[in-house]
Amino acid sequence: MKKVELLAPAGDLERLKIAFTYGADAVYLGGEIFGMRSAAKNFTIEDMKEGLEFAHERGKQVFVTINIIPRNEELDQLKAYLLELDQIGVDAVIVSDPGVFSVVKETIPNMEIHISTQASTTNSLASNFWYNQGAKRVVMARELSFEEIKRIRDNAAEDMDIEAFVHGAMCMSYSGKCVISNYTTGRDANRGACAQPCRWKYTLFDEVSLGEYEPVVEGIDSSFFFNSKDLCMIEYIPQIIQSGITSLKIEGRMKTAYYVATTVRAYRMALDEYYKDPQNWKFNPMWLDELKKGSHRDYSTGFYFNRPDDTAHNYESASYIRNYDFIGIVRGHEEDSDLVIVEQRNKMNVGDKIEIIGPFKETMQANILEMYDEKNEPIESAPHARQIVKMKLDIDVEKDYMLRKPILTIRAL
């Protein structure tokens, strides 16, 4: 059985390496131009080179986004950029604009092309059109059901890849087509600069007569009625594979390395378990629990089973849910000692009871027994951002393992 691809976001070089370490088959990333995530750190050409080398040494792939809808003046630098990507060995480019598509075909004809979800492909005719133009892969619009995707698969060429988002933030509009951000802030969603006004608080009034207004919902002054829940499909791995999706895409190029690690790790475990025995695969609630230990909104299944109803939005809050703090990442071991070198990400203390995750490993419980600073002086806590500490734990850990601890909530009596 040909296995599906697990495709992870990479907002920078560290997250690229973490994605592959924790089980991704491929990553997608943006360069400094032509990408849809201007707020992400994004990659210089030199960073891409290093990331490609890291990926290819492990038999993995790197896809680069060129999925904005460009203006005429931006096209002048497109050909030179494409030639650079081709020269360094990028595996595929992700495009949405027909003009960009034509320039790719003309400039680097052997480059694999993926059609972005920004193209809003929702039917067989559109996906086959792109394939016949030379696209290898079509990313489905987020607004499709399993039934619709299966119909596209059944009417597509056998070697056309179908990619679909299975996890992450959802758009309240057709993906990337919202103009509220541009109208309210001048920040263009199709330039990668969306201000996410769908997460803002609004008050909705109805004009009952000329100049007279009443709240639509009595007793509620404001509401987050554009605020979509996050997508999470980890409970439905068999349905995903049976629909004909060949690449499972995780959203989140602006998320942290910890988010990438926890999300990739959970889906990797679920997929690996499926391929052991597809007929008897059972959902393990631990996988969902792991996803909830990262920063997230409430989850939904998006459009996969039917059109979302009013339960697919959170009307009370647009805030992320955080139950755990990511406190550090293992960078290595001190020579001739049992101390672990950790880069701090949130405050930790001697005596903390923590959890540790690693690639292809079950979650581990541990205690911080001792800590030392870079001068080998004993310390009781590590409060400084990205502080390098040496610590003694009561279990063995490896490079790139991640440390976390529960957030304690103090409630008034």
Side-chain angles (χ1 to χ4, degrees):
M1 182 186 297
K2 183 179 179 181
K3 295 184 178 181
V4 298
E5 172 186 273
L6 182 57
L7 177 59
D12 59 19
L13 193 55
E14 179 189 41
R15 282 171 274 183
L16 176 148
K17 293 178 178 180
I18 287 294
F20 287 133
T21 300
Y22 276 78
D25 300 303
V27 300
Y28 62 102
L29 56 87
E32 295 179 301
I33 52 177
F34 295 111
M36 283 290 294
R37 290 292 181 270
S38 61
K41 290 184 179 179
N42 294 321
F43 282 70
T44 65
I45 291 295
E46 290 304 313
D47 283 343
M48 282 191 206
K49 285 181 182 178
E50 184 175 341
L52 282 158
E53 183 178 347
F54 186 91
H56 292 166
E57 285 175 351
R58 292 159 176 78
K60 312 289 187 177
Q61 292 188 300
V62 175
F63 311 142
V64 176
T65 59
I66 312 177
N67 57 344
I68 67 165
I69 308 298
R71 303 297 178 95
N72 283 324
E73 60 271 17
E74 293 173 298
L75 295 175
D76 295 339
Q77 54 185 330
L78 179 57
K79 287 188 177 181
Y81 182 55
L82 291 172
L83 289 169
E84 279 190 297
L85 297 182
D86 190 45
Q87 185 176 18
I88 64 175
V90 166
D91 295 293
V93 293
I94 306 169
V95 306
S96 60
D97 178 71
V100 172
F101 185 99
S102 65
V103 176
V104 174
K105 293 296 292 181
E106 175 189 332
T107 308
I108 46 175
N110 295 321
M111 176 63 70
E112 186 171 302
I113 302 176
H114 299 174
I115 302 303
S116 171
T117 194
Q118 299 301 122
S120 297
T121 302
T122 58
N123 60 74
S124 297
L125 292 177
S127 61
N128 290 339
F129 166 82
W130 286 116
Y131 176 80
N132 291 331
Q133 296 301 309
K136 177 66 171 66
R137 175 180 298 190
V138 179
V139 187
M140 298 290 97
R142 282 182 172 93
E143 298 74 29
L144 295 182
S145 67
F146 277 133
E147 184 178 339
E148 290 172 305
I149 293 171
K150 190 173 189 310
R151 185 172 178 180
I152 290 172
R153 172 77 276 166
D154 290 344
N155 289 280
E158 188 176 345
D159 65 339
M160 187 189 86
D161 291 339
I162 289 181
E163 180 183 306
F165 282 93
V166 297
H167 193 90
M170 294 286 284
C171 185
M172 53 77 68
S173 174
Y174 269 89
S175 297
K177 302 298 190 292
C178 179
V179 296
I180 301 176
S181 176
N182 206 333
Y183 180 78
T184 56
T185 69
R187 291 170 55 180
D188 192 340
N190 255 316
R191 325 298 297 167
C194 184
Q196 294 197 319
C198 57
R199 309 298 180 189
W200 299 351
K201 206 172 189 180
Y202 293 92
T203 302
L204 184 63
F205 291 95
D206 182 27
E207 187 174 18
V208 293
S209 62
L210 187 63
E212 293 187 13
Y213 301 88
E214 290 183 355
V216 171
V217 182
E218 290 291 340
I220 297 178
D221 295 327
S222 52
S223 179
F224 296 89
F225 48 74
F226 289 144
N227 180 44
S228 300
K229 293 181 179 179
D230 283 358
L231 178 66
C232 178
M233 295 300 293
I234 199 164
E235 296 178 61
Y236 306 100
I237 297 299
Q239 292 94 322
I240 291 170
I241 294 172
Q242 291 159 15
S243 72
I245 295 169
T246 51
S247 178
L248 282 59
K249 189 170 195 172
I250 297 168
E251 182 274 340
R253 278 196 285 139
M254 293 171 62
K255 301 290 182 66
T256 65
Y258 174 67
Y259 169 88
V260 172
T262 53
T263 310
V264 168
R265 175 174 170 264
Y267 277 90
R268 182 78 273 155
M269 289 190 289
L271 285 168
D272 288 350
E273 198 64 28
Y274 174 84
Y275 284 113
K276 287 179 185 177
D277 187 358
Q279 300 303 317
N280 296 302
W281 183 87
K282 290 183 179 179
F283 169 68
N284 185 339
M286 179 270 291
W287 302 329
L288 182 58
D289 290 343
E290 283 297 307
L291 292 173
K292 290 181 177 180
K293 289 181 179 180
S295 180
H296 67 285
R297 299 183 183 92
D298 289 328
Y299 288 132
S300 81
T301 55
F303 287 77
Y304 276 106
F305 292 101
N306 45 48
R307 289 181 180 273
D309 57 20
D310 56 3
T311 64
H313 284 60
N314 184 345
Y315 302 96
E316 303 300 322
S317 172
S319 299
Y320 282 99
I321 301 167
R322 283 182 58 240
N323 299 315
Y324 278 75
D325 271 337
F326 168 37
I327 58 173
I329 181 169
V330 176
R331 294 304 189 192
H333 295 79
E334 187 173 58
E335 290 186 17
D336 302 320
S337 108
D338 57 357
L339 297 180
V340 179
I341 301 170
V342 174
E343 182 181 303
Q344 184 262 30
R345 294 301 174 89
N346 276 290
K347 185 179 179 181
M348 49 189 164
N349 306 286
V350 172
D352 280 346
K353 298 181 184 299
I354 63 174
E355 292 184 0
I356 299 178
I357 62 169
F360 309 99
K361 299 285 186 182
E362 296 292 327
T363 302
M364 298 168 279
Q365 310 293 321
N367 295 283
I368 300 178
L369 303 177
E370 301 170 8
M371 284 201 300
Y372 302 87
D373 63 18
E374 291 184 273
K375 297 178 180 178
N376 292 319
E377 296 291 331
I379 55 176
E380 289 298 313
S381 69
H384 306 300
R386 293 185 178 266
Q387 180 179 356
I388 300 298
V389 299
K390 302 170 186 178
M391 65 172 60
K392 185 176 182 180
L393 300 167
D394 54 357
I395 65 169
D396 294 328
V397 296
E398 301 294 335
K399 184 178 182 296
D400 293 324
Y401 282 19
M402 293 191 173
L403 286 58
R404 67 188 180 203
K405 66 178 181 179
I407 296 174
L408 299 177
T409 302
I410 300 175
R411 296 176 180 172
L413 297 176

